[in-house]
Amino acid sequence: MKIVIMLIVAYLLGSIPSGVIIGKLFFHTDIRDAGSGNIGTTNTYRVLGPTAGTIVMAMDILKGTLAAAQPVVLYHMSNRYTLLVGLAAILGHTFSIYIGFKGGKAVATSAGILLAYNWEFFLIASAIMFSLVYLTSMVSVASMASLTIVSLIAIFGYRDPILSVVAVVLTIFIFYRHRTNIGRIKAGTESMVPFGVGYHRRQSKSK
């Protein structure tokens, strides 16, 4: 029964549409009607600016961490349950009950779950993610590549079977959620953040 309650709470926490809330409360803008229409960090950054984007990223990470930390903090259960409960938060973020079962791509929320499970690995994964964002200037590419690298580290570095399985499942899920981005990447039309190596190379070519 405890697991069921935690899964429900995790889903409801994950369902909180941070981007929609920040956009409507402080900018009187529904980000679902602008940019890519996504409710996550990247589209918030693109539509509302870096401050709003950073706040949304922090909120999405936090809700993943709070959701996943329930077994350990509330019931003193084994840490392995954090990943199981955390998956419900990812479903919530992706299929939010508050906005008609639509949502984002769950990259930041996944990072929050990893923070609850292993904070050291979270720092490593974050460093990989931000490095790839800087190198490619494409959050979509960085997200898919970093999840792939994280999965390999979990399998061959940490040799953690539970983390490895969850990481691989999340990687497949993230690739699926980015399927439209993959088409734009192949066509060379994927949006870039306005900084980094990839952005400057594209700017140089356009001159």
Side-chain angles (χ1 to χ4, degrees), residues 53-137:
T54 301
I55 292 172
V56 168
M57 179 177 66
M59 290 176 67
D60 285 346
I61 291 174
L62 179 61
K63 69 186 186 183
T65 302
L66 292 176
Q70 291 181 90
V72 174
V73 174
L74 298 181
Y75 300 105
H76 307 291
M77 299 170 70
S78 169
N79 192 39
R80 69 177 184 272
Y81 287 101
T82 60
L83 296 175
L84 171 63
V85 174
L87 290 175
I90 291 174
L91 286 177
H93 180 83
T94 310
F95 306 105
S96 172
I97 191 173
Y98 305 124
I99 52 174
F101 296 99
K102 297 179 181 179
K105 295 173 181 175
V107 175
T109 303
S110 298
I113 294 164
L114 181 58
L115 175 58
Y117 183 73
N118 186 327
W119 67 268
E120 292 178 334
F121 196 18
F122 165 80
L123 293 178
I124 293 171
S126 297
I128 293 170
M129 176 68 179
F130 289 119
S131 296
L132 288 171
V133 169
Y134 181 77
L135 288 172
T136 66
S137 299

Side-chain angles (χ1 to χ4, degrees), residues 1-65:
M1 189 63 184
K2 291 179 182 177
I3 294 293
V4 173
I5 293 173
M6 286 189 290
L7 289 171
I8 293 172
V9 171
Y11 172 79
L12 294 175
L13 280 171
S15 291
I16 298 172
S18 308
V20 176
I21 292 171
I22 294 298
K24 287 188 173 182
L25 279 181
F26 299 103
F27 297 88
H28 307 293
T29 299
D30 190 334
I31 61 171
R32 292 172 294 179
D33 299 328
S36 66
N38 192 270
I39 67 168
T41 300
T42 305
N43 196 45
T44 304
Y45 184 99
R46 184 183 299 118
V47 176
L48 304 179
T51 300
T54 301
I55 292 172
V56 168
M57 179 177 66
M59 290 176 67
D60 285 346
I61 291 174
L62 179 61
K63 69 186 186 183
T65 302

Side-chain angles (χ1 to χ4, degrees), residues 148-159:
T148 302
I149 294 171
V150 163
S151 295
L152 293 173
I153 294 174
I155 295 169
F156 299 108
Y158 279 84
R159 299 183 185 276

